[in-house]
Amino acid sequence: MNCSPCAARSAPTANRTQRPLLAPSWFAAVMGTGIVANAAVTLPRSFPGLRTAALAVWLGAALLLILLALGYLRQRALRLHAGDPVMAQFFGAPPMALLTVGAGALLLGRRLIGLEAALDVDWVLWSLGTVLGLVTSCTVPYLMVTRHRFGPDAAFGGWLMPVVPPMVSAATGALLVPHAPAGQPRLALLLGCYAMLGLGLVAALLVLAMIYGRLVHHEAPTGTVVPTVWIGVGALGQSVTALGALATVSPSALPASYVRGTAVFALLGGIVVWGFAMLWLVLATALTVRTIRAGLPFAPTWWSFIFPVGACVTATGVLAVRTGSEMFVWAAVVFYALLVVAWVVVAAHSLRHAARHMWRRSGGGHARRGVAEAEGRLDEATVLRGTVRTSTDGRPISEARITLLDPAGDVVGTTLTAEDGSYSFTDLAGDRYTVVAAGYPARATVLRLDGSGQDVFDLTLAYEKA
C-alpha cells in the first residue's frame, strides 16, 4: 500500500456517511472542454466548419462551468477539501476553468454575443480567475509547508495544479492587453502578465524536479495517479503559449527595442521549453501505456490528459506562426486531432460516471439493497471498520476525523472515531478507497477491500519528532 503522511486539523463533524461530494478536480472537465474550443482558433491551418463546432464546444464548457460552480458552492466543502493534502492540490482547477472559458468568450463568443459583451465577460472571468489563481498559488504551498506532511514518495503531478493558474492568466491576459486603456494601465497589465508567467514557470520547474526525483527514486506511479504526470506537459506548453501571446501584443505597450527582445525571447525560449515539453510528453505517454496494460480505472484525473495536449496545440501553433516551419504546422494539426479523440473518450467516460451517480442518488442503489435483504444475502453490504492509535504507545485516538474517498476522489463519507478509537463505514459498493485520518498529523492510505463483507483496517498516528 502507498502511504503519504500529512498534517491537517479540522473542526469535529458528526458521525455520518454522506453522499459523495463534488471534488474541485472536476473543474478540469471545463478546462479540457474549453481548450478544445480555444485551440481550434490557434491552429495554423483552417478547416471548414471547425470554428462553428468550436463555438458549440465553448458553449458547453460555459454551461458546465456554471453547473459545477453552483454545485460546488452549494455543498460548502471548501474546508474539508482544504484539509485533504491530495484534494487541496486541485484548487487550481476552478481558476483555470474560469480563465479558459473567459478566453473562449473573446476568441469564439464574440460571434454570438458581440465584441463588447465578449470583452465584458472575459474581463470579469479573467479578473476572477486571476485572483483565485494567485490565492491558490500562495495558499496551497503554504498549507503544504505548515499543515501537511509528505513522505519522500508523495510528489505527484497534482502538485503542479496550484502553480499553473498564473501562467494561464498570463497567456489569456495577453488577449486583453490591446483592449486595456493605453498608457500605464496597458503597460501594467502586460508587465503583470510577464510577472505571473515567471511566477508559474519557475514554480512549475521546481515541482517538476520533485516529481522527477520521485519517479526515479521510488516505485513508478500506478492507477489514477498516472494521468497527473501529463500536467507537466500542460505547464510547459502553457508557458510557451504565454511567451508567444505576450510578444505579439507587446508593441502596444513597450518601446521598440524591448519589443524585439520579447520576440527573440518568445522564439528561442519557446523552442527550448517546447523541447523539454516533448521529453515530458514521451515519459508521460510511456507511463500511461504501461498503466493501461495493468488496468486504469476512470477518475477525474483522466481530464489531466486533455488540457496538457491542448497546451501542446497552442504552444506548437505559436511556434509555427513565429518560425513559418511546416514541421510545427503539421505537429499542431496532429496534436489537435489527438486532442479531439482524447476529449471524446474522456467526456464519454465522465458522462457515464455522472449518470451512474445520478442513478444511485435517485434510489436505484436502495432498491438493489432491498432485493439483497429480501433474499437474505447479507454479504452484499460491505463494511469497513478499524481503530486509530498512536504509534508510540498504541493508545486509541478519539475524535479523529476519518474521511473515505472513492477512486474518483469524491468523498463517500466522514466520521469521528469513538472513545476506543474505532470507526466504521457501511454499505460500501466499491472495493477500492482512500482513507484519510486527521486530528493528529494526518495519514492517507490507499486500500483495497477483499469483498468478504467485513474488512478491518487499523491506522497509527503520531506527531513528528522536533
Side-chain angles (χ1 to χ4, degrees), residues 80-295:
L80 176 65
H81 289 150
D84 187 318
V86 174
M87 199 62 62
Q89 306 300 324
F90 292 95
F91 279 137
M96 286 191 281
L98 292 167
L99 296 167
T100 305
V101 173
L106 197 54
L107 293 172
L108 294 161
R110 61 197 300 177
R111 297 173 53 190
L112 186 65
I113 60 178
L115 177 59
E116 186 174 349
L119 275 172
D120 291 340
V121 171
D122 195 11
W123 275 115
V124 171
L125 294 182
W126 183 84
S127 301
L128 182 58
T130 297
V131 171
L132 289 178
L134 290 174
V135 170
T136 299
S137 63
C138 296
T139 302
V140 174
Y142 175 78
L143 291 175
M144 294 173 69
V145 171
T146 60
R147 296 185 59 186
H148 300 163
R149 292 294 181 268
F150 299 94
D153 62 342
F156 75 113
W159 283 16
L160 288 163
M161 291 294 287
V163 299
V164 172
M167 280 195 288
V168 181
S169 290
T172 55
L175 298 174
L176 294 169
V177 169
H179 302 283
Q184 288 299 317
R186 185 177 299 175
L187 178 62
L189 177 59
L190 178 65
L191 296 180
C193 287
Y194 268 112
M196 288 188 290
L197 171 60
L199 184 161
L201 179 57
V202 174
L205 292 176
L206 292 174
V207 176
L208 284 172
M210 289 187 283
I211 295 173
Y212 185 74
R214 179 254 184 269
L215 294 175
V216 170
H217 295 293
H218 301 279
E219 293 183 4
T222 59
T224 56
V225 175
V226 172
T228 64
V229 178
W230 287 72
I231 300 175
V233 180
L236 297 170
Q238 197 62 217
S239 66
V240 177
T241 303
L243 283 172
L246 292 172
T248 299
V249 299
S250 62
S252 65
L254 294 177
S257 58
Y258 291 106
V259 169
R260 288 192 293 271
T262 61
V264 172
F265 189 29
L267 177 60
L268 299 183
I271 291 177
V272 169
V273 176
W274 186 87
F276 182 32
M278 293 304 101
L279 168 63
W280 202 268
L281 176 65
V282 172
L283 176 62
T285 301
L287 287 173
T288 302
V289 171
R290 176 178 180 270
T291 305
I292 289 175
R293 290 176 177 175

Side-chain angles (χ1 to χ4, degrees), residues 5 34 70 73 79 94 177 197 203 251 315 318 326 331 357 381 406 419 438 449 451:
L70 292 176
L73 293 174
R79 291 185 62 187
V177 169
L197 171 60
V318 164
E326 288 294 318
H357 275 271
D406 65 12
E419 290 294 331
L449 307 184

Side-chain angles (χ1 to χ4, degrees), residues 43-86:
L43 276 180
R45 285 284 186 273
S46 59
F47 297 91
L50 181 59
R51 290 219 170 192
T52 301
L55 175 59
V57 173
W58 172 75
L59 289 172
L63 177 60
L64 182 59
L65 174 62
I66 295 173
L67 294 176
L68 289 177
L70 292 176
Y72 189 79
L73 293 174
R74 187 183 300 116
Q75 67 187 9
R76 299 179 180 179
L78 183 64
R79 291 185 62 187
L80 176 65
H81 289 150
D84 187 318
V86 174

Side-chain angles (χ1 to χ4, degrees), residues 426-449:
T426 60
D427 296 332
L428 301 178
D431 65 346
R432 186 174 185 179
Y433 296 93
T434 296
V435 178
V436 180
Y440 276 52
R443 190 174 187 86
T445 304
V446 177
L447 60 92
R448 183 181 293 276
L449 307 184

